[in-house]
Amino acid sequence: MIFPIGDENVKGGHPPIFSYGFIVVNLIVFIFQLTMDGDELRQFFFTFGSIPKVVLNGDNYFSLFSSMFLHSGLMHIIGNMIFLWVFADNIEAVIGNANFLLFYLLGGLFASAGHILFNIDSNIPSVGASGAISAVLGAYIVLFPKSRIKVLFFIKIFYVSAFLFLGFWIIQQVISGFSNMGPETAQSSGVAWWAHIGGFVFGVAAGFFFKKRGYMNKVEYNPKA
């Protein structure tokens, strides 16, 4: 398994109030999930998870937001929270707390739109923060392409540029997304690939917007890579 465990943080800017706050909220919700038995958890996911067919029928729009804070298992939430912890604080430091809150939630909505677009007949609830986090990754690759990402590969630690790490990540998502198209393969894979892709595309567009507006001029950032 390959996990990012650190990056080059910017100096100055805004504190990571929502970046770390979202981690706390996700963990609290997950702990609450652990108190449920199998039937209760299933009902919880079907109520607060985003179900493409239900949303397209005009019902349960709130699930587009609530689904961002649910996770299907321990490895699911650990993986998502590690990515959120490593990458989100730099984005929030640059664009500000209120802007980051709006950006994160919109990223999650665009991610859900991507998933729904390619799974219009699905009755399976989609859960997880990975769509919104994918938006963070998209913005990061635009704003911090030369940042050195500290990566853990089994027991070995090495550094790679954000451009290479995130570039490889999104290529993997696109390949998996196209490989799992179709109702049977999409539902059996258990991963909302097109949510990742949709969120990332939104994040890239937002990253260019933030860069054009001069947000990077408000912090000190001197990558070694």
Side-chain angles (χ1 to χ4, degrees):
M1 297 292 290
I2 298 178
F3 278 108
I5 56 174
D7 69 336
E8 295 178 312
N9 288 323
V10 300
K11 295 181 180 180
H14 302 267
I17 295 174
F18 289 108
S19 297
Y20 296 166
F22 283 135
I23 294 176
V24 173
V25 172
N26 277 282
L27 290 175
I28 290 173
V29 173
F30 186 72
I31 292 172
F32 176 65
Q33 290 178 208
L34 294 177
T35 66
M36 304 178 188
D37 61 29
D39 290 337
E40 289 173 334
L41 185 59
R42 184 176 183 276
Q43 184 60 45
F44 187 70
F45 282 163
F46 272 85
T47 301
F48 296 103
S50 176
I51 304 174
K53 199 167 185 177
V54 172
V55 172
L56 288 175
N57 285 336
D59 296 321
N60 205 12
Y61 287 141
F62 178 73
S63 67
L64 295 173
F65 292 98
S66 59
S67 61
M68 300 182 201
F69 301 95
L70 312 183
H71 289 84
S72 60
L74 185 61
M75 291 307 298
H76 189 199
I77 191 169
I78 288 176
N80 277 347
M81 294 306 100
I82 288 176
F83 271 78
L84 185 57
W85 173 68
V86 171
F87 294 102
D89 55 352
N90 271 13
I91 304 298
E92 187 169 3
V94 168
I95 68 175
N97 305 123
N99 285 337
F100 181 81
L101 173 62
L102 181 61
F103 162 73
Y104 184 89
L105 295 177
L106 285 176
L109 291 179
F110 270 79
S112 291
H115 175 69
I116 291 172
L117 180 64
F118 286 89
N119 297 273
I120 58 175
D121 293 320
S122 175
N123 285 306
I124 299 177
S126 173
V127 300
S130 56
I133 295 170
S134 296
V136 171
L137 304 185
Y140 196 102
I141 200 174
V142 174
L143 298 177
F144 307 101
K146 296 181 180 180
S147 178
R148 294 198 312 160
I149 306 303
K150 189 177 184 181
V151 177
L152 175 65
F153 179 63
F154 290 102
I155 60 173
K156 184 176 178 60
I157 294 176
F158 61 95
Y159 292 86
V160 63
S161 73
F163 184 82
L164 289 178
F165 182 83
L166 297 176
F168 176 79
W169 180 86
I170 189 57
I171 289 172
Q172 182 185 40
Q173 307 308 303
V174 171
I175 292 174
S176 298
F178 280 107
S179 299
N180 288 279
M181 290 185 69
E184 293 184 0
T185 53
Q187 293 181 9
S188 63
S189 69
V191 179
W193 303 109
W194 289 100
H196 299 174
I197 297 167
F200 191 87
V201 170
F202 171 80
V204 168
F208 281 114
F209 172 78
F210 297 141
K211 197 169 187 178
K212 187 175 181 181
R213 294 293 296 270
Y215 282 97
M216 289 296 291
N217 299 330
K218 302 177 182 179
V219 296
E220 183 181 343
Y221 172 61
N222 298 301
K224 297 178 182 178

